[in-house]
Amino acid sequence: MKRVLTGRFMHETNTFSIQKTDMALWRRRDFQLGNEIPAAFRGTRSALGATFEAADKYGWTLIHPVSANANPSGIVTDDAFEQIGGIILDAAERQGPIDGVLLHLHGAMVVQSYEDGEGELLARLRRTLGPDVPVVVTLDLHANVTQQMADNASALIAFRTYPHIDMYERAWQGAELLRRAMDGEIRPKTVIARRPMIYGLDRGRHQAGPMAELIARGEALEASGEALAVSICAGFSRANIRDVGPSVTVTVDALADGASPRGQAVAEQFMDHAWATRDYESFTLLSVAEAVARARAGEPGDKPLVIADYTDNPGGGGYGDATALLRGLVEAGVEGVAFHAICDPEAVMEAMRAGIGVQTTITLGGKTDPKMGGGPVTLTGEVTHLSNGKFIAHGPMGGGLERHYGPSMVFRVGGIDIVAITNNGQAVDLGQFTSLGLDPTRYATVCVKSMQHFRAAFEPIAREVILVDTGALCSEIYTPELFDKVRRPVWPLDPA
Ligand SMILES: [Zn+2]
């Protein structure tokens, strides 16, 4: 029986956030240890769900010490990295012999002492396990992949969809590779190519454009057997670190292609295309005034206009408490609006004290960093719903997993139903409205905070989707002052 170490340790670090990601933030949601993990993931369409299925199919003994997935936020504290990484490394050391590893990481984690959190973790794991144990890693396509990660993993397998709806499939692909490697059929080895660019590949949008082109080429190479895996990562650009940016990794079989010159050549060709298309962008951001005008033009009974606040996206490290769009809608007297969400634990507590059905005045949002996204807004209305914020997400990105947004409320101000939550998170599932008694299909306008993930669930119910820039933390601003730790020269800071 093969002994396989698995686990999940995922964080997308926005280094511009003032919220340090400490143990309290890690524990706030999606944090399980040991036997809590099969209970949470077996039978779900998630990466760990696939891992349990693969273990059953191949008769592996699975060692699953930790699953930790903090919402994107600021730099991870050394303490949290050592605690959670330490759980994985301890298991590798003490629960051996380990025949193989299938880890689910993000790839854009920045730690106080390590710009490349995943690279550091994988280097330590490699030192513990030695050179021969296959280590297969799944990544988010917004990973900032480094040489250190490629050197210390046997294979890197990134998602291929944005919205990310293929975590389950990628984990199965990783499990198959791991099985073949443990059986001695193949010896996976991964090479990487990069270019001097902070962003590119349309930030990972796979529906058309350069990302679609490279994913298709990579899948053709996998189908032909020329590569074991090809991963195209768009990178995560809200990170002031040396190695920010897109990458291509190619995993080849070292038994068949010892020095793997072909893999490196392929990776370089792919990155030539990423470089040539670096300024391709398929999205447009509107101002708050433009978005509010579009909402006012809506007719009752239409399918909803969906407005996504791109720059306060909690999925990119945004604080989720920007008020600029909400304020614009209130001031313009727009009606028939469902607004998700303001992350504001204090406001939810106030609403709980006030109780349901009472007129009350609450100061909402803008508290994390009042300079960003509009500052606090004081509104008078009625609390119409209170909840513990838990529900099962059955949407395209949900996989049947329980989500936990903490104490939550609906606050009705004029014709606007405002959701406020305790645990930050972007809108990716209709359940984020329906679990609070709101049917998003019945509103003229639905507001969410998200760059792209919302589309999986909300595009099908929308008459139109628009993106708005509220001046919050994820604004697309690139200056040498903000990116003073990035390798230079680099596009777009320096002329190409
Ligand atoms: Zn992502």
Side-chain angles (χ1 to χ4, degrees), residues 170-469:
R170 296 285 79 77
W172 257 112
Q173 185 183 359
E176 295 280 358
L177 265 188
L178 182 63
R179 179 194 60 78
R180 294 174 64 196
M182 287 192 299
D183 287 350
E185 217 178 284
I186 53 170
R187 188 180 168 88
K189 176 186 179 340
T190 296
V191 296
I192 181 169
R194 294 151 38 80
R195 291 292 178 271
M197 53 205 284
I198 293 180
Y199 62 85
L201 294 170
D202 198 19
R203 315 295 197 282
R205 289 172 178 78
H206 75 282
Q207 292 78 6
M211 192 75 186
E213 160 81 20
L214 290 187
I215 287 170
R217 282 203 227 163
E219 287 184 340
L221 286 175
E222 289 176 3
S224 73
E226 235 183 290
L228 295 173
V230 179
S231 287
I232 322 295
C233 284
F236 177 61
S237 63
R238 305 324 296 168
N240 177 22
I241 55 169
R242 189 191 63 193
D243 287 329
V244 63
S247 65
V248 171
T249 57
V250 177
T251 301
V252 293
D253 181 6
L255 295 177
D257 181 13
S260 66
R262 173 80 188 128
Q264 190 66 48
V266 167
E268 299 296 343
Q269 281 166 16
F270 277 44
M271 279 311 294
D272 284 342
H273 187 67
W275 173 252
T277 58
R278 61 192 176 279
D279 55 7
Y280 176 96
E281 271 178 0
S282 67
F283 59 96
T284 312
L285 302 184
L286 303 183
S287 69
V288 170
E290 288 168 319
V292 170
R294 297 282 270 279
R296 290 184 78 166
E299 295 290 330
D302 281 358
K303 288 169 79 178
L305 167 72
V306 173
I307 305 178
D309 182 344
Y310 182 101
T311 56
D312 191 34
N313 171 27
Y319 303 130
D321 69 353
T323 56
L325 176 60
L326 176 62
R327 189 192 300 267
L329 293 163
V330 170
E331 283 172 359
V334 183
E335 302 206 327
V337 180
F339 187 96
H340 193 286
I342 301 289
C343 178
D344 188 337
E346 285 174 32
V348 176
M349 290 303 290
E350 276 183 58
M352 289 191 165
R353 280 192 291 270
I356 285 174
V358 182
Q359 283 284 311
T360 186
T361 298
I362 294 177
T363 297
L364 262 182
K367 292 168 187 162
T368 312
D369 183 354
K371 297 187 298 298
M372 287 278 171
V377 56
T378 300
L379 298 171
T380 299
E382 179 188 345
V383 178
T384 59
H385 197 101
L386 291 167
S387 134
N388 64 4
K390 287 187 188 180
F391 65 94
I392 307 283
H394 291 292
M397 287 185 68
L401 288 169
E402 185 178 82
R403 290 181 175 270
H404 185 200
Y405 294 93
S408 301
M409 68 139 161
V410 179
F411 190 45
R412 177 169 295 161
V413 176
I416 306 177
D417 284 326
I418 304 162
V419 175
I421 56 177
T422 295
N423 299 342
N424 204 11
Q426 72 179 310
V428 292
D429 198 284
L430 299 182
Q432 286 165 279
F433 288 96
T434 56
S435 67
L436 300 171
L438 307 178
D439 177 352
T441 65
R442 309 308 294 179
Y443 287 83
T445 301
V446 170
C447 299
V448 295
K449 293 184 170 182
S450 177
M451 290 172 178
Q452 171 78 359
H453 282 319
F454 73 98
R455 289 180 188 272
F458 290 90
E459 218 162 41
I461 68 157
R463 70 171 187 274
E464 190 188 356
V465 166
I466 56 176
L467 306 178
V468 61
D469 182 348

